[in-house]
Amino acid sequence: MDQYKNFIDGKWIESESKETIKVDDPANGKIIGEISCANKNEVDLAVDAARRSFESRVLVDMPLLARAKLMRRIADETRKIAKEGGELLCYENGKTLGAAVKEFNDVADMFDYYAGLTDKLEGKTIPVSTNVFDYTVLEPFGVSAHIVPWNYPLSMIGRSLSCSFATGNSTIIKTAELTPLSATVFAKALINAEVPNGLINIICGYGNEAGSYLVSHEDVNHVVFTGSVATGKKILHACADKAIPAVVELGGKSAGIVYPDANIDDILYSARHGIFGVAGQICTAMSRLVVHKSIKDEVVDKLVDLSKSLKIGPGIEKDTDLTPVISENQLQKVEGYARSGIQEGAVAAHGGKRVERDGYFMEPTILNNVKQDMTVAREEIFGPVLSVLEYEDQEEAIKIANDTDYGLGAGVFTKDLKKASWTASKLEAGQVYVNKWFTGNHATPFGGYKQSGYSREKGIDGLKSYLQVKNVGISLS
Ligand code: NAD
């Protein structure tokens, strides 16, 4: 079994307690490696390293073109290890090898993108009076702690770390206990890129121990959390206690509205990627389809055909379409949701159960005749389960789509772009996909409405959450 360690102050550190976290392959349940488990001691070491690097001003005072060059070197080194890291990510998370390698390349793209913005973070001058020269400067917060989930372990590191680094913060990343291994390969890219020690630290420990201690640490100035609403609320309380800012990117229950003129192939493409991709463990998963009565039967029939055609298997095997969910716990939860939907009156047009084989595989599931008051229509399932609901008029469709505490993603399928834009204006969600789920990239702002969070990651908007504004007034009299 391979052994992995925490990356603190540029060194590989074993935890003082000698405790480890074992990581399995969701495709068969076999242990593939173990990582030294960070406890309070290692959190203290990581925060101390980040604090020292911030106070040394090594990144803050680095000429901005040099900071950009360093970021491009991180991007290049990340691309070089994308295959090695992607393979480990594929084994520890279960997703397809292609999707796992893409995550590393996405990290590289984010570093390249923000490298180009480091020297464009401009303040402004403010006309106070002829006797005062007043201007603003944008400054980092200091030590920024990032807590990431297991569904997109590397992409989530990439999107927050690239912004944090571009703006001059020193960062500690706490990876998820289910998928901590591939981030250690990324740490190798940081070493190869010669990132000064302490600027980026990567630790893994349990959320309710290392995670909560890190967030509450007196020397942490800024927190970025990506994960569930329940944990996000705890993080917000901890940050409120210290009056420090928190970026929170939380869960979703996204709905796609299907108008009668929709192109069915667009819906099938979106289902394949939006609810069956990564076994539905996607924050903006297309977990509800709100379909016009006139075409619902046709849409459901085609979705069933799609479900039957999916090749279920380990992500490492070529041509696999549907990979396992992350753990036995998650599988039981997802199967329980499908069962509850059926008990509450939905019909399983396809699937509804676990697949009888080794590993944590769930059948691609299409629940028909779902009503918005059912649990499956309200709660985030985080598995390959699509709920199909029916509507008769447009206003009703919007009402159903918005009838949720979440507001992360939403979609609309129609050939009429005027109708699409009207619908987008009514949907309460941070991103609206028209005719194709997931149209964005590193340059498009991403974040939630309502309980899905606030702030934005990615794009130019993403930088705002990592900077504070200082106003300077110079008396000229
Ligand atoms: P989770 O909230 O259980 O855990 C997320 C991270 O928080 C993990 O690293 C965990 O160790 C840590 N954690 C847990 N308890 C903690 C505590 N008390 N203090 C500090 N840290 C703690 O979420 P998960 O199951 O890992 O991830 C799935 C969730 O993440 C889903 O709800 C999904 O929608 C959401 N998500 C959101 C986005 C987004 O961009 N909005 C992206 C990916 C995932």
Side-chain angles (χ1 to χ4, degrees):
M1 184 173 29
D2 291 333
Q3 314 278 327
Y4 300 82
K5 292 181 185 158
N6 296 287
F7 180 67
I8 300 173
D9 206 11
K11 298 174 220 38
W12 297 107
I13 303 289
E14 203 171 325
S15 83
E16 197 183 46
S17 69
K18 305 280 183 237
E19 193 187 338
T20 59
I21 297 177
K22 289 192 170 48
V23 178
D24 72 351
D25 175 354
N28 54 31
K30 293 197 177 119
I31 303 293
I32 55 168
E34 65 178 353
I35 188 161
S36 192
C37 174
N39 301 111
K40 283 186 177 178
N41 180 57
E42 291 68 42
V43 172
D44 284 338
L45 290 178
V47 174
D48 180 56
R51 170 61 54 202
R52 277 187 283 108
S53 76
F54 186 70
E55 283 178 5
S56 76
R57 298 185 67 90
V58 59
L59 190 59
V60 176
D61 288 346
M62 191 181 285
L64 292 174
L65 282 179
R67 192 190 292 177
K69 264 191 198 155
L70 175 55
M71 291 187 70
R72 291 201 178 94
R73 238 175 20 237
I74 295 176
D76 292 344
E77 294 299 334
T78 303
R79 283 194 188 91
K80 285 187 204 159
I81 50 85
K83 199 164 166 292
E84 177 194 347
E87 201 161 290
L88 194 50
L89 176 55
C90 166
Y91 280 117
E92 69 175 343
N93 169 280
K95 64 178 59 185
T96 64
L97 182 58
V101 172
K102 184 176 179 302
E103 278 203 49
F104 277 83
N105 288 325
D106 285 348
V107 174
D109 288 349
M110 286 185 260
F111 269 88
D112 269 341
Y113 174 76
Y114 285 112
L117 288 169
T118 49
D119 57 353
K120 294 165 193 71
L121 302 170
E122 297 168 349
K124 56 188 173 188
T125 58
I126 298 164
V128 173
S129 81
T130 48
N131 291 331
V132 173
F133 177 58
D134 191 287
Y135 63 95
T136 62
V137 277
L138 305 177
E139 296 190 337
F141 284 96
V143 174
S144 181
H146 301 190
I147 307 225
V148 296
W150 48 260
N151 64 333
Y152 282 92
L154 262 291
S155 298
M156 298 302 98
I157 290 176
R159 78 178 183 189
S160 61
L161 178 63
S162 54
C163 260
S164 191
F165 200 89
T167 48
N169 295 283
S170 291
T171 308
I172 300 138
I173 290 158
K174 194 209 74 71
T175 53
E177 44 273 56
L178 291 166
T179 56
L181 307 184
S182 47
T184 64
V185 181
F186 173 61
K188 285 198 224 164
L190 300 175
I191 295 170
N192 296 343
E194 295 176 5
V195 175
N197 292 349
L199 281 181
I200 301 172
N201 307 277
I202 304 178
I203 59 174
C204 179
Y206 291 104
N208 55 4
E209 293 168 6
S212 61
Y213 181 63
L214 174 63
V215 169
S216 311
H217 200 289
E218 59 177 11
D219 233 1
V220 165
N221 310 112
H222 176 255
V223 171
V224 182
F225 173 76
T226 309
S228 62
V229 171
T231 312
K233 288 179 180 172
K234 289 186 198 164
I235 303 279
L236 286 171
H237 280 290
C239 290
D241 279 345
K242 295 197 312 171
I244 61 165
V247 175
V248 285
E249 300 287 356
L250 310 178
K253 189 70 195 176
S254 308
I257 295 178
V258 179
Y259 286 125
D261 67 340
N263 178 345
I264 305 245
D265 285 343
D266 288 339
I267 302 167
L268 298 178
Y269 173 93
S270 296
R272 176 183 279 276
H273 298 282
I275 189 68
F276 298 135
V278 200
Q281 303 162 117
I282 309 171
C283 52
T284 43
M286 187 178 79
S287 54
R288 294 180 295 150
L289 259 192
V290 186
V291 188
H292 192 265
K293 197 177 173 187
S294 62
I295 58 161
K296 198 190 77 168
D297 289 348
E298 186 188 356
V299 169
V300 170
D301 286 349
K302 293 268 172 61
L303 285 167
V304 169
D305 290 346
L306 169 70
S307 306
K308 285 181 183 160
S309 75
L310 296 176
K311 186 179 166 231
I312 300 174
I316 200 74
E317 282 178 13
K318 231 175 143 218
D319 303 329
T320 293
D321 299 305
L322 186 68
T323 51
V325 298
I326 190 74
S327 63
E328 176 60 31
N329 269 352
Q330 186 67 12
L331 180 57
Q332 285 179 16
K333 190 174 138 205
V334 174
E335 201 181 11
Y337 270 120
R339 208 178 308 117
S340 89
I342 295 162
Q343 278 161 1
E344 289 180 41
V347 174
H350 189 268
K353 300 187 303 297
R354 69 191 292 155
V355 180
E356 289 307 329
R357 59 181 284 172
D358 285 347
Y360 318 126
F361 292 89
M362 177 73 192
E363 291 176 333
T365 299
I366 308 292
L367 292 181
N368 196 6
N369 300 345
V370 171
K371 301 279 180 279
Q372 189 49 30
D373 58 359
M374 294 180 185
T375 311
V376 284
R378 309 201 73 80
E379 295 184 12
E380 185 181 40
I381 297 176
F382 230 49
V385 179
L386 175 60
S387 296
V388 180
L389 299 94
E390 180 182 298
Y391 76 93
E392 282 188 55
D393 69 72
Q394 275 175 222
E395 295 289 350
E396 186 192 357
I398 305 273
K399 194 162 172 273
I400 295 172
N402 286 340
D403 183 15
T404 163
D405 292 336
Y406 296 103
L408 196 54
V412 47
F413 296 91
T414 175
K415 295 190 186 84
D416 180 346
L417 289 187
K418 208 166 147 189
K419 206 194 261 184
S421 131
W422 175 85
T423 307
S425 74
K426 302 270 173 185
L427 288 168
E428 296 163 359
Q431 28 278 311
V432 178
Y433 305 117
V434 177
N435 291 332
K436 192 175 180 187
W437 223 258
F438 310 133
T439 45
N441 70 359
H442 51 266
T444 53
F446 183 96
Y449 277 28
K450 303 197 275 189
Q451 292 198 21
S452 293
Y454 48 84
S455 332
R456 288 297 175 267
E457 297 271 27
K458 307 201 294 180
I460 294 171
D461 294 275
L463 290 163
K464 290 180 195 153
S465 312
Y466 295 81
L467 288 163
Q468 47 192 343
V469 180
K470 179 180 280 175
N471 183 255
V472 183
I474 302 179
S475 168
L476 302 175
S477 54

